[in-house]
Amino acid sequence: EVQLVESGGGLVQPGRSLRLSCTASGFTFGDYAMSWVRQAPGKGLEWVGFIRSKAYGGTTEYAASVKGRFTISRDDSKSIAYLQMNSLKTEDTAVYYCTRGGHGDRLDYWGQGTLVTVSS
Amino acid sequence: SYVLTQPPSVSVAPGQTARITCGGNNIGSKSVHWYQQKPGQAPVLVVYDDSDRPSGIPERFSGSNSGNTATLTISRVEAGDEADYYCQVWDSSSDHPFGGGTKLTVL
């Protein structure tokens, strides 16, 4: 059974950093691109970015709203994807979901999400 | 930038058919995916590549895509289908692959 479990969310002050983790199981993690999608309270889904599999260079792409502040990485040996968030803003407050799939793919499995609250 | 337009809400009586649209320029030439999100839960893929269903998704869920409109059709609607539905399309000109979402209300 495919499972994605996010962790690392919490309350953080504006301008600070936070790192989210997504631990995967039930599939060969290294074979898949992984994406992060967020949802602000009461709002719709917003794509954050994704990382390709190593077979496709392991490269990343980001939404303009987070480019230069957020970094996605992966550790295939541990089946974990990371979202490093720097220079956080109040508008980054959202539930962050880890999903399997990348650009051009369907996002076929989602984690339960982790809440990030950016507030002073 | 590629914009996806969904109606904010759709209402339907139990047992009837719900149709949720997703409009986009020449969307018929792209692959459309649909997600269901119930309150307090993560989204779930219900239709992919316009009209395919993941395993475990009831046959009542179907999709079509032509011209400038993709449609998610839910037949014989049940109370448990009440949720937000999002369409998704990848386009190189946009980093907003999701539509704004449609709230399906079962009357």
Side-chain angles (χ1 to χ4, degrees):
Chain A
E1 178 193 8
V2 172
Q3 284 194 318
L4 300 172
V5 178
E6 301 92 339
S7 60
L11 175 64
V12 61
Q13 293 178 328
R16 304 296 289 256
S17 299
L18 201 63
R19 187 178 80 162
L20 306 183
S21 299
C22 169
T23 303
S25 61
F27 66 101
T28 304
F29 180 77
D31 288 349
Y32 289 86
M34 299 296 294
S35 293
W36 289 91
V37 175
R38 69 184 180 182
Q39 186 170 36
K43 302 297 185 182
L45 302 175
E46 180 187 13
W47 174 71
V48 172
F50 76 95
I51 185 166
R52 295 178 176 86
S53 66
K54 290 290 196 299
Y56 289 89
T59 53
T60 53
E61 293 188 24
Y62 302 93
S65 58
V66 306
K67 196 170 185 179
R69 300 188 299 123
F70 289 13
T71 303
I72 299 173
S73 60
R74 63 190 300 156
D75 185 336
D76 291 350
S77 69
K78 296 180 179 178
S79 297
I80 300 177
Y82 299 100
L83 177 63
Q84 176 68 43
M85 303 184 293
N86 298 332
S87 303
L88 281 161
K89 305 175 181 180
T90 55
E91 52 263 41
D92 295 320
T93 294
V95 174
Y96 284 74
Y97 295 102
C98 167
T99 77
R100 190 177 81 168
H103 197 282
D105 301 327
R106 59 191 182 268
L107 304 178
D108 56 359
Y109 290 94
W110 296 60
Q112 280 306 300
T114 187
L115 176 63
V116 173
T117 302
V118 184
S119 174
S120 55
Chain B
S1 182
Y2 192 79
V3 178
L4 297 172
T5 302
Q6 296 184 239
S9 62
V10 168
S11 299
V12 63
Q16 299 303 302
T17 297
R19 294 179 178 84
I20 298 172
T21 59
C22 177
N25 185 34
N26 198 26
I27 197 172
S29 67
K30 305 177 185 299
S31 287
V32 180
H33 314 305
W34 290 92
Y35 303 88
Q36 175 195 67
Q37 185 180 33
K38 296 181 179 180
Q41 298 184 19
V44 172
L45 179 70
V46 292
V47 167
Y48 66 95
D49 292 346
D50 299 340
S51 58
D52 290 332
R53 273 186 318 277
S55 61
I57 300 301
E59 292 183 6
R60 300 185 298 105
F61 289 81
S62 62
S64 62
N65 186 17
S66 179
N68 293 320
T69 305
T71 303
L72 174 69
T73 301
I74 309 171
S75 304
R76 303 180 298 284
V77 166
E78 303 173 356
D81 297 331
E82 191 161 281
D84 293 326
Y85 291 84
Y86 295 89
C87 62
Q88 184 235 317
V89 170
W90 294 107
D91 186 272
S92 59
S93 70
S94 174
D95 62 4
H96 297 282
F98 294 100
T102 298
K103 180 177 180 59
L104 175 67
T105 299
V106 180
L107 300 171

